[in-house]
Amino acid sequence: AERSRTPWPEIGYARPRSWIGSVAIGLAFGSAFKLLMKAVVMPLLGADPLNPAYHYLVGNAAALPGMVFASIVVAGFGEETVFRGYLFERLGKLIGHSPGAKIVTVLLTSIAFASLHYFDQGWAGAQQATITGLVFGTIFAFTGRIWTLMCAHAAYDLMAVAMIYWGLESG
């Protein structure tokens, strides 16, 4: 953003109307969305209930601090900044901001987001990331604000970590 002299609000870093409300909505939505994906959507797609890429986390207290950090900083803040904020802004400059252009932007960013998850989580991880990218991308296309999505993404991943850690995935 600095190098291209892009104002921070153009990548979604606009002050929310209510910080508490944005955080609360993000945490509630992200947690509920993860439970919906795990319990309903992914089984319908034939996904294994266990995530083999992260199965080492079951009962592994030593791995928790790193995973909590990654869930909040890398996924919540980092991935949302790149895939929703930065790429939406760049693609908006390239193809425009019409409804059709926003649909293309949501699709392209979702595919890019999913492709990165394929390498460590396989096909099921890519499917899940595609759906998550489509949902988060659509929300960002309508709101243009990123803070709630950052909290939702962090909550989504923290819920996944908690389910794996406590051995609740298959349940």
Side-chain angles (χ1 to χ4, degrees):
E2 276 186 43
R3 287 186 183 158
S4 65
R5 296 194 173 126
T6 302
W8 287 100
E10 286 189 29
I11 62 168
Y13 280 89
R15 173 178 275 177
R17 289 180 203 94
S18 165
W19 282 104
I20 293 171
S22 292
V23 170
I25 289 168
L27 294 176
F29 175 73
S31 300
F33 184 46
K34 177 59 187 178
L35 291 173
L36 175 70
M37 290 293 291
K38 188 68 169 176
V40 178
V41 177
M42 296 311 293
L44 288 174
L45 296 174
D48 185 342
L50 299 178
N51 184 337
Y54 294 101
H55 197 66
Y56 71 92
L57 286 173
V58 176
N60 186 351
L64 279 182
M67 288 307 294
V68 168
F69 176 83
S71 296
I72 295 169
V73 177
V74 176
F77 287 85
E79 288 181 353
E80 289 308 310
T81 298
V82 171
F83 290 100
R84 262 49 84 186
Y86 179 74
L87 289 178
F88 263 74
E89 188 275 333
R90 293 283 92 187
L91 287 169
K93 292 258 196 289
L94 183 66
I95 62 175
H97 298 284
S98 70
K102 284 187 177 184
I103 290 169
V104 170
T105 299
V106 169
L107 292 173
L108 290 175
T109 58
S110 297
I111 291 167
F113 182 66
S115 69
L116 292 179
H117 288 78
Y118 177 78
F119 297 110
D120 69 332
Q121 297 180 45
W123 180 242
Q127 288 175 309
Q128 185 168 233
T130 299
I131 295 165
T132 303
L134 290 169
V135 170
F136 286 5
T138 300
I139 292 169
F140 188 76
F142 278 101
T143 66
R145 296 177 182 262
I146 204 164
W147 295 108
T148 301
L149 289 173
M150 288 176 164
C151 293
H153 194 147
Y156 184 97
D157 284 6
L158 288 170
M159 180 64 74
V161 168
M163 287 189 307
I164 295 168
Y165 178 77
W166 285 309
L168 302 174
E169 279 190 294
S170 60

